[in-house]
Amino acid sequence: ERIAADRRHGLREGLGRMLERRGVLRPGVTAERAGDIVYAVCGQANYRALVDECGWTEAAYEAWLSETLIAALLPRGPTA
């Protein structure tokens, strides 16, 4: 449990703050929220469920992961 708490803190204060300082987070997404999203989405349970249990390839998992994080963290592009 301590390791998980340290990981969450690191994502909030490290990655989340870096994205916030660079001004690349989607409006309404704070550094803390960004860290929490990365922590949850990149959790081992998601990998095991999709790759081990559902039979996804590593490439499919990586594509889903990047698409999911981009959609959750970065501003949406202009709509057509």
Side-chain angles (χ1 to χ4, degrees), residues 24 26 63-76:
V24 297
R26 188 168 66 119
W64 170 82
L65 189 62
S66 63
E67 291 167 6
T68 300
L69 291 172
I70 288 167
L73 300 174
L74 304 182
R76 289 173 175 76

Side-chain angles (χ1 to χ4, degrees), residues 20-65:
E20 185 178 63
R21 281 192 304 274
R22 291 183 180 187
V24 297
L25 288 175
R26 188 168 66 119
V29 177
T30 64
E32 292 81 10
R33 175 70 53 101
D36 292 348
I37 289 168
V38 173
Y39 175 78
V41 172
C42 294
Q44 290 180 352
N46 286 334
Y47 176 87
R48 283 193 293 262
L50 295 173
V51 176
D52 297 340
E53 296 172 21
C54 295
W56 286 27
T57 64
E58 294 273 336
Y61 173 76
E62 289 173 13
W64 170 82
L65 189 62

